[in-house]
Amino acid sequence: MNVMNESPRRKELTRLAAQLFVQEGFDRTTVRMLAQEMGIKSGSLFHHFRDKQEILAAVIEEGTQNALAMARRALTECGPTAEARLRAMARAHLETLLTDRNAHVVALYEWRRLDAEARAHLSHLRDAYEALWEEVIDAALAEGLIHGDRFLVSRFVMGALNWTVRWYDPRGPRSPDDLADELVAMITRGAV
Amino acid sequence: MNVMNESPRRKELTRLAAQLFVQEGFDRTTVRMLAQEMGIKSGSLFHHFRDKQEILAAVIEEGTQNALAMARRALTECGPTAEARLRAMARAHLETLLTDRNAHVVALYEWRRLDAEARAHLSHLRDAYEALWEEVIDAALAEGLIHGDRFLVSRFVMGALNWTVRWYDPRGPRSPDDLADELVAMITRGAV
DNA sequence: GTGTCAACCAAGCAAGCGCTAGTGTAAACG
DNA sequence: CGTTTACACTAGCGCTTGCTTGGTTGACAC
């Protein structure tokens, strides 16, 4: 039982699990379904993961790590103005939501299924990510780009962005960057 | 088995079920847990509901009906300007989210557990509710109060509002009306 | 050629699941 | 009065669940 490693096999299994968790939900996804999707028998699954919950934690961790990395990279590559940084964060957020869609949907819907230990660990990751947002929003407030309550603005923005997983269709006419730009326009000027 | 009635007993049971569904999630809530919470034995539960799924449908229907009624009332009681109507809708939305919190959390998280029949029925209700929003947002666009894409604006607003169930604490300093006003301010002017 | 080790399998256990069948009872109805 | 109706009970069927156990396989090391 090689529990805590990060073997490529385990990563691939995690990716498959994320897909099933989205399709069926965590509780309705049985270890037998997971095993079948992975091309192994249900017992073999417990060679890679201690229990079913650990699979869930692995899925969420993977998605959150990627989101954090992508946001950090976006902030180093964008311009220095508050608007550029705001736009970069929104674009990065939607890009993650799209490329790691399964993992993020699982994180949004199945967070409460985590046990206390996993939840504590992953909360730190999420807090680090949200801290990036608050920093960028603080700067935008200071520059007078946006107005209002720091706490409320960041919550509203996160809500608007995360809600996209419910309706956004990547095959439609709008690109993720379009969405990000329109959202930034909406809160900075009420203009397009 | 008095399946389709709206007895007060059934309403009370639905309310209790909503609470358990929020605490545990639909799949993890067993009929035995539901029965115990209701002070009856598990078998007796099926006198009031055809099956477990029907309880879920009842919970969501209750919440959606209330939201629809509340929004309609708010629209008749508010002023005629686009801004007044926008604010009224936002306030009504948050008020529902608060008073029927359990039912709405269930609707947001457990929608996919509905069978096809119930989903079709409830989709109509939800569409009726969202039509109210689009109508109000269309008017605000026409009046030049807000700008941008009609579809995107309504999705962003719904996202920001619905996300509140994840973080809003009614015991805190902010009233639901404060939130609604701040959101309207954010999208109409970027101002407080 | 013997030892090690990750990866996997076959078989199954104990617990719990949604739901049904059949019955009892007290109030409401004709 | 007898009948119906609403609501609850007991008992348990048939099945699925997450997970364990004990053992096999094949690649690589020394």
Side-chain angles (χ1 to χ4, degrees):
Chain A
M1 205 178 293
N2 52 2
V3 155
M4 280 316 253
N5 75 352
E6 282 299 322
S7 67
R9 182 75 174 128
R10 185 174 147 127
K11 253 200 170 145
E12 170 66 7
L13 298 183
T14 302
R15 210 184 49 81
L16 288 169
Q19 188 186 340
L20 263 182
F21 287 163
V22 169
Q23 269 174 41
E24 307 288 331
F26 177 71
D27 290 321
R28 279 173 125 81
T29 303
T30 68
V31 294
R32 286 164 180 81
M33 293 165 63
L34 287 164
Q36 187 174 23
E37 197 76 7
M38 297 165 178
I40 57 179
K41 299 297 177 184
S42 70
S44 313
L45 218 158
F46 295 91
H47 173 71
H48 301 278
F49 301 93
R50 183 164 23 215
D51 54 24
K52 195 186 167 192
Q53 284 235 28
E54 198 183 77
I55 309 180
L56 176 62
V59 167
I60 296 183
E61 168 144 23
E62 172 78 9
T64 312
Q65 292 279 20
N66 284 355
L68 192 54
M70 212 172 270
R72 284 190 175 134
R73 200 164 57 86
L75 283 182
T76 66
E77 290 177 357
C78 72
T81 67
E83 185 172 359
R85 291 169 69 78
L86 199 59
R87 196 187 309 274
M89 278 298 283
R91 287 187 174 203
H93 192 97
L94 288 172
E95 195 184 329
T96 311
L97 236 46
L98 201 69
T99 59
D100 288 322
R101 189 169 191 284
N102 287 338
H104 288 296
V105 170
V106 170
L108 292 177
Y109 280 86
E110 314 286 359
W111 180 267
R112 295 174 313 160
R113 303 284 159 264
L114 292 168
D115 56 40
E117 191 190 352
R119 181 146 39 190
H121 168 55
L122 293 171
S123 286
H124 282 119
L125 273 182
R126 206 192 43 182
D127 288 349
Y129 179 75
E130 293 191 354
L132 290 182
W133 266 104
E134 300 226 330
E135 177 195 316
V136 168
I137 284 180
D138 273 344
L141 284 168
E143 213 179 80
L145 181 69
I146 57 179
H147 310 274
D149 183 281
R150 157 185 194 265
F151 179 83
L152 287 182
V153 170
S154 65
R155 287 299 191 281
F156 286 153
V157 169
M158 293 290 284
L161 289 174
N162 286 330
W163 192 252
T164 56
V165 300
R166 285 184 162 259
W167 57 266
Y168 179 63
D169 179 3
R171 293 160 308 182
R174 298 180 184 84
S175 75
D177 284 358
D178 288 344
L179 297 196
D181 294 349
E182 181 108 20
L183 179 66
V184 171
M186 189 174 88
I187 65 172
T188 55
R189 290 276 38 251
V192 86
Chain B
M1 205 177 296
N2 53 1
V3 157
M4 281 314 254
N5 75 352
E6 283 299 320
S7 67
R9 181 77 172 127
R10 186 175 147 123
K11 257 204 167 142
E12 170 67 6
L13 298 184
T14 302
R15 209 183 50 80
L16 288 171
Q19 189 187 338
L20 262 183
F21 288 164
V22 169
Q23 268 174 43
E24 308 288 331
F26 177 70
D27 290 321
R28 279 173 126 83
T29 305
T30 70
V31 294
R32 287 166 178 81
M33 291 164 64
L34 286 165
Q36 187 174 21
E37 197 76 6
M38 297 165 177
I40 58 180
K41 299 297 176 183
S42 70
S44 313
L45 216 158
F46 295 91
H47 172 74
H48 301 278
F49 302 94
R50 183 162 25 215
D51 53 25
K52 195 187 165 190
Q53 285 236 28
E54 198 183 79
I55 308 180
L56 177 61
V59 167
I60 296 183
E61 167 143 24
E62 173 78 8
T64 313
Q65 293 278 22
N66 284 356
L68 192 54
M70 214 172 267
R72 283 190 174 130
R73 199 165 57 88
L75 282 182
T76 65
E77 290 177 356
C78 72
T81 66
E83 184 172 356
R85 291 170 69 78
L86 199 57
R87 195 186 310 274
M89 278 298 283
R91 286 187 174 203
H93 192 98
L94 287 173
E95 194 183 331
T96 312
L97 236 45
L98 201 70
T99 59
D100 289 322
R101 188 168 192 283
N102 288 338
H104 289 295
V105 170
V106 170
L108 292 177
Y109 280 86
E110 315 284 0
W111 183 266
R112 296 175 314 162
R113 302 283 158 265
L114 292 168
D115 57 40
E117 191 190 352
R119 180 145 42 189
H121 168 56
L122 294 172
S123 288
H124 283 119
L125 273 182
R126 206 192 42 182
D127 289 350
Y129 179 74
E130 293 192 354
L132 290 182
W133 265 104
E134 301 225 330
E135 178 195 315
V136 169
I137 283 180
D138 273 344
L141 285 168
E143 213 180 78
L145 181 69
I146 58 178
H147 310 276
D149 183 281
R150 155 187 195 265
F151 178 82
L152 287 183
V153 170
S154 65
R155 288 300 190 282
F156 285 154
V157 169
M158 293 290 282
L161 288 174
N162 285 331
W163 192 251
T164 56
V165 299
R166 285 183 162 261
W167 57 265
Y168 180 64
D169 179 3
R171 294 160 307 182
R174 299 179 181 85
S175 75
D177 284 357
D178 288 343
L179 297 196
D181 293 349
E182 181 107 18
L183 179 66
V184 171
M186 188 174 88
I187 65 172
T188 55
R189 289 281 39 250
V192 88

